[in-house]
Amino acid sequence: QVQVVESGGALVQPGGSLRLSCAASGISVSLYNMGWYRQAPGKQRVFVAQVASTGLTYTTESVKGRFTIGRDIVKNMVYLQMSSLKPDDTAVYYCKAQRLSDDYWGQGTQVTVSS
């Protein structure tokens, strides 16, 4: 019933830009805290950015000034606008919806930054 589906991952050159999308169904993104996480090969999954149900946004220090999280309540979608991409940004990017004890994860989308 609840689905969170990421899209938009691609191969991009260093310095390039990319926008990831997260489509939610069965829930409203206006009532959940929505976050982006990433996991590089052989590494732990880490937090990247979130937009709370209140609309408050936060990004982790390593992507501040480069990544922006946003949401479209009408479309029930969340976005991650990425710019000035670096090879270290290469990872599978995951979208998560959270409210109280409920967590819903997407399947992930691959972002590869390479020349």
Side-chain angles (χ1 to χ4, degrees), residues 16-31:
S17 298
L18 200 63
R19 185 178 68 184
L20 305 182
S21 299
C22 174
S25 60
I27 61 167
S28 172
V29 300
S30 68
L31 299 178

Side-chain angles (χ1 to χ4, degrees), residues 29 31 57 75 82 91 104 106 113:
V29 300
L31 299 178
T57 62
K75 294 182 178 179
M82 306 184 293
Y104 301 102
V113 184

Side-chain angles (χ1 to χ4, degrees), residues 34-105:
M34 306 296 300
W36 286 97
Y37 296 73
R38 67 187 183 188
Q39 186 169 22
K43 302 292 186 65
Q44 295 289 106
R45 188 174 301 182
V46 297
F47 169 82
V48 176
Q50 73 167 19
V51 53
S53 60
T54 61
L56 180 67
T57 62
Y58 180 77
T59 54
T60 195
E61 189 67 26
S62 63
V63 306
K64 281 188 188 301
R66 301 189 299 120
F67 291 10
T68 301
I69 189 170
R71 70 180 179 182
D72 186 325
I73 294 175
V74 173
K75 294 182 178 179
N76 208 38
M77 296 185 70
V78 177
Y79 305 94
L80 186 66
Q81 181 65 52
M82 306 184 293
S83 63
S84 301
L85 284 162
K86 308 173 180 180
D88 285 349
D89 295 320
T90 295
V92 177
Y93 284 70
Y94 297 89
C95 182
K96 184 182 78 171
Q98 179 270 322
R99 186 180 69 178
L100 300 177
S101 63
D102 293 329
D103 284 0
Y104 301 102
W105 289 90

